[in-house]
Structures are given as structure tokens and as C-alpha cells.
């Protein structure tokens, strides 16, 4: 079987699906590996490293002839145009929020597998869990960005020139990224508090040495599969108002809140920003073109408000640590690919709940139940 690796074309995307080590393993399993010229440059894996691992370095057109295509992000128009019927393509396609891409993949008659739909609850899927591997990187990097943007120390520092009190950091959303942000901020010496609408995260927060904040105005909002549900308008307003008091008592706020398939919940309003002290810093990991967790944030932009509060809109943080992110993602995608190969062929066994959870379209049709439901609701 021919497995090909494309050069990512997404804005500021530096990752590559498999690192050379993963290519070596695919070759050992008997597959021919094609890597598009320069595909690893952004993560500092040169073509030579892939050649040494046994891959052929080829053009974009040649990549498009393979049986299976491995990607990190989504294919662009040119890559979509080169897809062949019956081919399989694996990547992080965010299908719940990208219905147009889903339709395009179905129209291309390919088997599309979205790495962000890996079920978190299946233990055999853990090595394939790309959302977790990439969120860990995002959380770590968000805490580092917060520390370097903040004009004071994170740790307590006692020197002959004076004493610096430790920074007070608040992490909103304590899923994978939030917990990693807490751990990183704690290791830098900050005093950390955290909040999530899923109260079951309290134990994990406390085990990292942070204080869990409980809101009285909003109850539990756990959804299905370990995710949060979207809040009602009344719950959201109550949450924003109560959170504002906590936000103003902190020097640094890192927001990571997400609800699958929805725009990120707004947690820090303009009123809360205006009440923060000058020099405060927010890093919004939810920043997106649709809006983020912080009012006014924009992905890839750093804004300083009139009252001296810096808002950093995070944008593809895993890509800023492309070598580590690619190494982890390579493990995830190789595990899923290996799992789906039976007798040397890429096989779609929809009776397997893991496979059924990740295949979004096949034979010209969208087959994923959640996507069919979303499309029906939109009609
Ligand atoms: P996510 O990225 O979907 O969301 C991040 C956090 O934001 C979540 O903790 C969510 O509860 C929180 N959130 C959403 N709306 C909010 C609001 N209005 N206010 C405050 N917080 C809000 O979550 P994730 O990091 O992908 O984790 C999702 C689940 O998957 C978790 O239950 C996690 O424990 C689980 N998980 C399990 C495994 C495993 O078992 N192997 C691995 C990874 C993750």
C-alpha cells in the first residue's frame, strides 16, 4: 500500500503528519511511503531525514496518487482537486464546524477520517488521541506566553533589591489544555486558581496544587463523552457576572473553554476587562474568527486595551512547537492507520465503534451520524 504525506498549506502551519521515525515503522510494516518535497521543513525535518527513513520524496501530483494520504490540517482547494475516488485521507478536519469541507470530501468520493473525532472514552483509542496530544502542547505554550507577556515575575522572589510576590493566575476551562496550563504555571511558581463547568475536574485541579473555584450562580454543565454542554443565555450571563469578580483579582487569565461543535463560550466580558488592573494579561486559547473566550480577542493578535490589559489571541499553538507536536501527532495518526489496516489494505469496518466514530464520509456520502444530524438541522 502507498501511504503519502502532504505538505501542509494552512496559515502558519509548521507541523507534518509523520516524523521520520514513524516513516521507518510504516516501511517496516511493508508500506511504500511518499513524502511531498519540503513537507517537513517547518518542523525542521529535512527531506534527507525522510529519505534516510526509506521514504521517496515526490511532487504534490505524485502524492495525490497514493492509496492513503496523511495530513495534520485540512486540504486546500488544490489538494482537494487532486483527490482520487476511493482514496483514504486522514487529518484534523474539524468536521462539526466545517460542513463545507465535509461536503467537498464527500463529493471527492474519498474515505475521509477525522482525527479529532477519536472517542476519548475508549482505552484502545488513547494512543490515537490527537486532540489530547495537541491540547497538552497548547496548554503548556499558553502558560509560557502568559509568563513572557506579563511584566512581573511568576514566582515569589526575595532579593536584595526587593521582594516580588508570586503572580496570581486563573485558568478557565480545565480539560487537557487547562490542566497542562495549570501544571506549567505552577512549575513557574505562580499561585493558580481554576474553574470549569464540569465540577468533576476539581480533583485533578487540586492534585496539581491549584485552587478550584466554584460558582454559585451556575450549576453543573457536563455534557456527553466527558465534554461540557453549551450554557443557556441566562446561565451564561450569570456565569460571566460571577466570574468577573474572580477575574479582577488575578494578574493573568488563561482561557481554554470549548464546547464541541459550538463557538467558544464567552467567559471574559468587556466589563470584566475594564475592571482588571493595568498590566494584567489574558491568553485566549479559544480565540477564533467566530469569537473566543475573551471579548475582543482575535486569533494571532495581541491587543492592549485602553486600561492597559494585554489580550493575546492564541493561534495554532501546537504549530509553534512543530517538532514536538509532529512527533506526538505522528504517533496518533500511525496508531489509527495501523489499526485500520487489515491484511495490508486500508479497511473501513463500521461495526467497530472506534472506526465508526472517525469516518466522516465514504463512497460519495457523508456517513457520520453526528454530521448527518447537523446537516438535517441546518436544512
Ligand atoms: P474541551 O477542549 O472540549 O474543553 C475544554 C474545557 O472547557 C472542558 O473541561 C470544558 O468542560 C470546559 N468548558 C466548556 N464550557 C465552559 C464554560 N462555559 N465555562 C467553563 N468551562 C467550560 O475539553 P478537552 O480538553 O478536550 O477534554 C474533554 C474531555 O475528554 C474531558 O472530560 C477529559 O477528561 C476527557 N479526556 C479523556 C481522556 C481519556 O480518558 N483518555 C483523554 C483526554 C481527554
Amino acid at each position: 500500500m502507498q501511504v503519502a504525506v502532504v505538505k501542509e498549506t494552512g496559515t502558519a502551519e509548521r507541523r507534518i503528519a509523520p516524523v521520520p521515525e514513524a516513516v521507518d515503522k510504516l516501511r517496516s510494516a511493508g508500506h511504500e511511503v511518499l513524502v511531498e518535497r519540503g513537507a517537513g521543513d517547518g518542523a525542521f525535518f529535512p527531506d534527507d531525514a525522510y529519505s534516510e527513513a526509506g521514504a521517496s520524496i515526490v511532487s504534490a501530483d505524485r502524492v495525490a496518487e497514493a492509496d492513503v494520504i496523511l495530513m495534520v490540517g485540512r486540504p486546500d482547494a488544490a489538494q482537494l482537486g487532486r483527490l482520487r475516488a476511493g482514496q483514504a485521507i486522514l487529518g484534523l478536519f474539524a468536521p462539526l464546524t466545517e460542513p463545507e469541507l465535509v461536503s467537498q470530501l464527500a463529493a471527492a468520493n474519498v474515505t475521509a477520517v477525522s482525527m479529532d473525532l477519536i472517542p476519548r472514552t475508549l482505552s484502545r483509542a488513547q494512543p490515537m488521541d490527537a486532540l489530547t496530544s495537541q491540547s497538552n502542547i497548547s496548554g503548556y505554550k499558553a502558560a509560557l506566553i502568559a509568563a513572557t507577556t506579563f511584566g512581573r515575575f511568576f514566582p515569589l522572589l526575595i532579593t536584595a533589591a526587593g521582594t516580588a510576590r508570586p503572580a496570581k493566575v486563573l485558568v478557565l476551562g480545565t480539560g487537557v489544555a487547562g490542566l497542562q496550563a495549570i501544571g506549567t504555571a505552577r512549575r513557574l511558581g505562580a499561585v493558580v486558581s481554576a474553574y470549569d463547568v464540569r465540577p468533576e475536574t476539581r480533583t485533578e485541579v487540586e492534585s496539581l496544587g491549584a485552587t478550584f473555584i466554584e460558582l454559585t450562580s451556575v450549576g453543573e454543565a457536563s455534557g456527553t463523552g466527558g465534554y461540557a454542554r453549551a450554557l443557556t443565555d441566562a446561565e451564561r450571563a450569570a456565569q460571566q457576572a460571577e466570574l468577573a469578580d474572580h477575574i479582577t483579582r488575578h494578574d493573568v487569565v488563561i482561557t481554554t473553554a470549548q464546547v464541541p461543535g459550538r463557538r467558544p463560550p464567552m467567559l471574559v466580558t468587556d466589563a470584566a476587562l475594564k475592571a482588571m488592573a493595568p498590566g494584567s494579561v489574558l491568553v485566549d486559547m479559544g480565540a477564533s474568527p467566530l469569537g473566543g473566550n475573551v471579548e475582543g480577542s482575535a486569533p494571532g493578535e495581541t491587543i492592549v486595551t485602553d486600561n492597559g490589559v494585554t489580550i493575546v489571541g492564541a493561534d495554532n499553538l501546537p504549530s509553534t512547537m512543530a517538532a514536538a507536536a509532529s512527533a506526538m501527532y505522528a504517533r496518533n495518526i500511525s496508531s489509527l492507520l495501523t489499526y485500520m489496516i487489515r491484511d495490508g489494505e486500508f479497511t473501513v469496518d463500521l461495526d467497530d465503534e472506534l472506526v465508526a466514530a472517525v469516518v466522516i464520509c465514504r463512497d460519495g456520502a457523508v456517513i457520520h451520524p453526528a454530521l448527518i444530524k447537523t446537516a438535517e438541522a441546518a436544512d
Side-chain angles (χ1 to χ4, degrees), residues 120-122 126 129 131-132 135 172-178 195-198 200-201 204 221 225-229 231 239 243 256-260 265 267:
R120 315 300 268 287
T121 42
L122 292 181
Q126 280 181 13
D129 188 350
L131 281 188
T132 292
S135 292
L172 300 176
T174 53
V176 178
Y195 162 73
D196 197 291
V197 274
R198 292 183 303 116
E200 62 266 30
T201 62
E204 290 162 306
Y227 293 102
R229 65 166 171 81
L231 301 183
Q239 184 190 55
L243 269 180
T256 77
Q258 295 285 349
V259 176
L267 303 179

Side-chain angles (χ1 to χ4, degrees), residues 46-58:
D47 288 346
D48 286 353
Y50 286 96
S51 301
E52 279 162 29
S56 307
I57 307 302
V58 298

Side-chain angles (χ1 to χ4, degrees), residues 4-21:
V5 183
V6 296
K7 185 170 169 57
E8 300 293 323
T9 57
T11 321
E13 183 56 80
R14 303 180 63 87
R15 292 171 289 176
I16 176 167
V19 293
E21 190 192 336

Side-chain angles (χ1 to χ4, degrees), residues 82-133:
R82 285 193 286 265
L83 292 176
R84 289 189 302 113
Q87 201 167 40
I89 179 165
L90 285 74
L92 288 162
F93 301 138
L96 291 166
T97 48
E98 297 282 350
E100 200 187 329
L101 175 62
V102 174
S103 308
Q104 288 165 331
L105 289 166
N109 233 319
V110 292
T111 299
V113 173
S114 200
M115 293 292 296
D116 33 18
L117 295 177
I118 297 277
R120 315 300 268 287
T121 42
L122 292 181
S123 56
R124 68 180 183 283
Q126 280 181 13
M128 310 163 193
D129 188 350
L131 281 188
T132 292
S133 71

